[in-house]
């Protein structure tokens, strides 16, 4: 009986396993069963894939919620413990002032700082002991002037930022930083030959004007033409000033550099040489139309204005004729002050480079660079004498050509120590200043009078040879100590023009 039951069960199971489903072989005998079976299988696979995709989406959302929660908890912890920024670097506004203590304004300066006295009191005493009485007085005067300028809020740093040096300053824009006597020598090494006028009491279109010189055909009379007039297009004391030929006017520094958007109305002084009628910059000129209310001088002349040239990284020390640096400050001759410091300037300069500019020289002698290549700490006694009056490339201690110094035709070559000049003639002593008989190549022709000739004694200029010997329009510069040059620490605006 048991055997029969087992056989029946086995038969049932076998029959179930091999009997085709109705989807495979329809009961009505419709053909295509295998194809339908394959189609059903494909549908099943697709359903499973869709189910997997849905599941993955649920898992991603769950993970995102977990990460968001963890980030919130972390940021909350950062806020609570006083951190200044969140995990992503953004500032926590509520913690910006955390830990700061409000100080009573009556608290003495430096209170609670054990180093304040050592830094601001004792150190100043030591420094003052190293200064001469004149230098101490000068520092005190400069500090007073700085305080006064800050009170009036009219210092050139405040009004126009860095990169500009004032050479004329009037009215409320007066400042001790004026460098009028250096006008010609500094224009010579100006980056773009651009002059800027800033005017406090002018109309908006005239508050900031840029004068771009298009050529070098001008003398110191340009200084007077800008300030007092006549600002015209006629040859005035060897200075031509014709609009669009000798200069252009612009409303922005960028336009002046690029030569774009020049003023369309350029009107000279038409009442030239009539007593009391001369008018200064910019005369009747305007961006688009005639104007008579914003000039330096005249019946409606403005009072508070200043002129600036582009600040250069070169300190002018001694100039002749066109590039002469005439005048005094506080009774001290400006050129003699600088000449006596040439050696010091060279030791402190950025690359220990001096530069000689010559207007009436030719070829490579128009702009020549001297670089002191001796080891740091080795100076040349009376170097101003050798550069200005008696340039001797051989036979002087620490002053041997291509050993202690080199000569170059460009500033970049001097910095990179490339293309140094190869030859210097030995010339009679006490006759030639820099660069004397030196030239780039031995076989280059020796051209006469391509050197400076200034008589120097004891650090002071005794005489300037202007005719027959040496070039006429020259200036010797020394590279400043850093990229933002500080010309000198003196003096008042009492300058002789």
């Amino acid at each position: 009986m048991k055997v029969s039951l087992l056989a029946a069960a086995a038969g049932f199971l076998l029959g179930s396993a091999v009997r085709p489903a109705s989807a495979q072989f329809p009961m009505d005998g419709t053909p295509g069963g295998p194809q339908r079976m394959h189609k059903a299988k494909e549908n099943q696979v697709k359903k499973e894939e869709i189910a997997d995709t849905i599941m993955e989406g649920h898992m991603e959302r769950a993970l995102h919620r977990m990460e968001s929660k963890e980030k919130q908890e972390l940021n909350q912890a950062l806020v609570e413990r006083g951190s200044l920024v969140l995990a992503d670097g953004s500032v926590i506004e509520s913690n910006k002032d955390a830990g700061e203590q409000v100080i009573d304004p009556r608290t003495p300066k430096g209170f609670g700082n054990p180093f304040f006295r050592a830094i601001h009191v004792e150190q100043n005493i030591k420094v003052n002991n190293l200064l001469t009485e004149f230098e101490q007085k000068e520092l005190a005067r400069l500090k007073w002037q700085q305080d006064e300028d800050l009170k009036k809020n009219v210092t050139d740093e405040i009004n126009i930022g860095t990169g500009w040096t004032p050479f004329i300053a009037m009215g409320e824009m007066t400042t001790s930083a004026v460098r009028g006597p250096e006008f010609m020598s500094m224009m010579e090494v100006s980056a773009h030959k651009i002059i800027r006028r800033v005017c406090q009491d002018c109309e908006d279109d005239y508050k900031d004007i840029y004068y771009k010189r298009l050529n070098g055909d001008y003398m110191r009379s340009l200084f007077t033409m800008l300030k007092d007039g006549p600002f015209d297009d006629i040859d005035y004391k060897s200075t031509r000033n014709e609009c669009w030929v000798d200069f252009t006017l612009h409303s922005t520094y960028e336009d002046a550099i690029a030569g774009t958007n020049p003023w369309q109305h350029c009107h000279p002084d038409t009442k030239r040489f009539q007593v009391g009628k001369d008018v200064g910059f910019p005369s009747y000129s305007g961006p688009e139309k005639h104007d008579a209310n914003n000039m330096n001088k005249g019946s409606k002349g403005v009072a508070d204005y200043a002129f600036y040239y582009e600040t250069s990284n070169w300190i002018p020390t001694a100039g002749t004729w066109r590039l002469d640096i005439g005048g005094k400050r506080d009774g001290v001759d400006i050129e003699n002050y600088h000449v006596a410091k040439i050696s010091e300037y060279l030791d402190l300069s950025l690359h220990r480079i001096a530069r000689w500019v010559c207007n009436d020289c030719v070829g490579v002698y128009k702009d020549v660079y001297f670089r002191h290549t001796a080891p740091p700490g080795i100076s040349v006694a009376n170097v101003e004498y050798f550069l200005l009056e008696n340039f001797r490339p051989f036979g002087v201690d620490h002053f041997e050509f291509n050993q202690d110094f080199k000569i170059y035709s460009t500033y970049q070559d001097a910095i990179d120590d490339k293309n140094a000049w190869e030859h210097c003639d030995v010339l009679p002593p006490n006759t030639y200043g820099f660069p004397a008989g030196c030239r780039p190549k031995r076989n280059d022709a020796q051209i006469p009078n391509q050197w400076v000739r200034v008589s120097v004694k004891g650090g002071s200029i005794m005489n300037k040879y202007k005719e027959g010997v040496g070039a006429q329009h020259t200036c010797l510069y020394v590279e400043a100590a850093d990229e933002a040059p500080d010309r000198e620490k003196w003096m008042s605006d009492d300058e002789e023009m």
Side-chain angles (χ1 to χ4, degrees):
M1 182 65 179
K2 290 182 180 179
V3 175
S4 300
L5 290 172
L6 287 173
F12 175 77
L13 291 173
L14 289 172
S16 299
V18 298
R19 185 169 54 244
S22 59
Q24 296 173 315
F25 296 101
M27 294 299 292
D28 59 2
T30 304
Q35 291 86 346
R36 294 192 180 189
M37 181 178 68
H38 180 70
K39 185 68 174 179
K41 190 173 182 180
E42 286 182 346
N43 291 338
Q44 182 64 26
V45 170
K46 289 182 179 180
K47 289 179 181 180
E48 291 174 356
E49 290 176 349
I50 294 172
D52 290 342
T53 302
I54 294 172
M55 181 58 69
E56 288 175 0
H58 288 315
M59 291 179 68
E60 287 179 358
R61 285 192 290 274
L63 287 172
H64 179 70
R65 285 194 292 271
M66 290 175 63
E67 290 174 354
S68 297
K69 184 177 181 181
E70 290 177 356
K71 184 177 179 180
Q72 290 174 1
E73 291 174 350
L74 174 59
N75 286 339
Q76 184 60 34
L78 291 171
V79 172
E80 291 175 355
R81 70 171 180 238
S83 176
L84 297 179
V85 295
L86 297 175
D88 60 0
S90 57
V91 177
I92 302 175
E93 295 293 331
S94 60
N95 290 352
K96 285 177 65 175
D97 300 324
E100 291 190 5
Q101 181 179 358
V102 179
I103 300 176
D104 190 321
R106 296 168 295 180
T107 302
K109 188 175 181 179
F111 181 79
N113 183 354
F115 300 104
F116 184 86
R117 177 175 175 79
I119 296 173
H120 297 281
V121 181
E122 296 171 2
Q123 184 172 314
N124 283 343
I125 293 174
K126 291 179 181 179
V127 171
N128 286 336
N129 288 337
L130 299 175
L131 301 176
T132 65
E133 182 179 355
F134 172 80
E135 288 172 328
Q136 291 184 40
K137 288 181 179 179
E138 181 54 27
L139 286 174
R141 187 195 66 75
L142 286 174
K143 179 65 168 62
W144 175 85
Q145 184 64 56
Q146 184 182 43
D147 291 343
E148 290 299 305
D149 286 344
L150 287 173
K151 289 177 185 177
K152 293 190 297 182
N153 198 36
V154 295
T155 61
D156 53 297
E157 290 83 5
I158 291 174
N159 281 310
I160 64 167
T162 59
W164 297 93
T165 300
F167 64 92
I168 298 172
M170 304 298 292
E172 289 299 316
M173 295 193 70
T174 299
T175 169
S176 62
V178 167
R179 294 293 175 262
E182 295 90 341
F183 171 68
M184 288 299 293
S185 60
M186 294 309 295
M187 277 294 290
E188 190 66 28
V189 291
S190 168
H192 305 98
K193 301 295 187 290
I194 292 174
I195 293 172
R196 179 181 191 181
R197 190 195 75 169
V198 176
C199 176
Q200 286 190 346
D201 53 337
C202 288
E203 298 169 8
D204 288 346
D205 284 345
Y206 298 84
K207 286 188 177 296
D208 204 359
I209 308 174
Y210 298 84
Y211 170 101
K212 182 176 183 177
R213 190 71 195 182
L214 302 179
N215 55 53
D217 299 332
Y218 61 93
M219 299 295 284
R220 190 174 178 80
S221 51
L222 177 61
F223 181 104
T224 303
M225 295 170 72
L226 292 168
K227 181 176 181 290
D228 298 322
F231 185 75
D232 61 11
D233 60 359
I234 304 175
D235 190 10
Y236 173 67
K237 294 185 178 180
S238 301
T239 297
R240 288 196 59 82
N241 201 46
E242 184 177 353
C243 199
W244 302 304
V245 174
D246 301 304
F247 74 93
T248 50
L249 299 176
H250 304 265
S251 295
T252 70
Y253 185 44
E254 293 75 16
D255 278 343
I257 292 174
T260 54
N261 302 315
W263 282 17
Q264 297 303 302
H265 187 79
C266 201
H267 194 128
D269 177 8
T270 55
K271 298 179 180 179
R272 186 173 186 258
F273 296 138
Q274 295 183 29
V275 177
K277 299 296 184 179
D278 286 348
V279 296
F281 182 87
S283 188
Y284 302 98
S285 303
E288 296 178 351
K289 61 183 180 180
H290 182 95
D291 177 85
N293 300 317
N294 295 278
M295 58 188 66
N296 298 339
K297 186 179 178 182
S299 59
K300 297 181 181 180
V302 296
D304 306 319
Y305 64 89
F307 283 90
Y308 305 81
Y309 47 70
E310 295 167 295
T311 298
S312 168
N313 200 42
W314 298 99
I315 303 172
T317 61
T320 60
W321 278 31
R322 180 175 180 269
L323 303 181
D324 182 68
I325 310 169
K328 298 182 179 181
R329 293 194 183 96
D330 286 358
V332 179
D333 185 272
I334 297 172
E335 276 192 325
N336 284 340
Y337 176 87
H338 286 308
V339 166
K341 287 181 170 288
I342 288 178
S343 180
E344 177 184 343
Y345 289 161
L346 269 176
D347 289 341
L348 296 175
S349 75
L350 195 62
H351 303 99
R352 305 175 82 192
I353 293 175
R355 176 184 185 181
W356 184 61
V357 173
C358 177
N359 285 168
D360 56 317
C361 289
V362 298
V364 295
Y365 295 100
K366 282 188 169 294
D367 201 358
V368 186
Y369 297 82
F370 167 98
R371 182 168 186 177
H372 191 205
T373 56
I378 295 181
S379 300
V380 181
N382 302 318
V383 67
E384 69 281 355
Y385 167 68
F386 293 116
L387 288 174
L388 293 172
E389 181 176 1
N390 186 23
F391 188 71
R392 297 171 62 188
F394 307 103
V396 177
D397 289 343
H398 310 307
F399 203 71
E400 289 283 330
F401 174 60
N402 277 346
Q403 179 176 321
D404 300 304
F405 72 87
K406 294 183 180 181
I407 304 175
Y408 306 85
S409 296
T410 70
Y411 182 47
Q412 194 61 52
D413 277 351
I415 293 174
D416 297 338
D417 189 19
K418 294 180 179 178
N419 305 313
W421 288 18
E422 298 176 0
H423 182 75
C424 282
D425 288 334
V426 178
L427 300 177
N430 303 312
T431 306
Y432 308 94
F434 180 80
C438 300
R439 49 191 181 271
K441 304 288 183 182
R442 176 184 292 273
N443 294 330
D444 291 345
Q446 176 64 55
I447 305 174
N449 293 325
Q450 304 298 296
W451 49 76
V452 64
R453 188 75 171 103
V454 175
S455 178
V456 179
K457 184 176 181 180
S460 296
I461 295 175
M462 305 302 294
N463 188 22
K464 295 182 180 180
Y465 296 83
K466 299 181 178 179
E467 295 182 5
V469 180
Q472 308 300 304
H473 308 287
T474 72
C475 188
L476 181 70
Y477 304 81
V478 180
E479 182 189 38
D482 51 51
E483 296 294 353
D486 180 13
R487 289 289 156 265
E488 63 267 349
K489 293 184 178 179
W490 61 310
M491 294 181 178
S492 74
D493 54 352
D494 181 19
E495 301 175 337
E496 296 181 2
M497 300 304 167

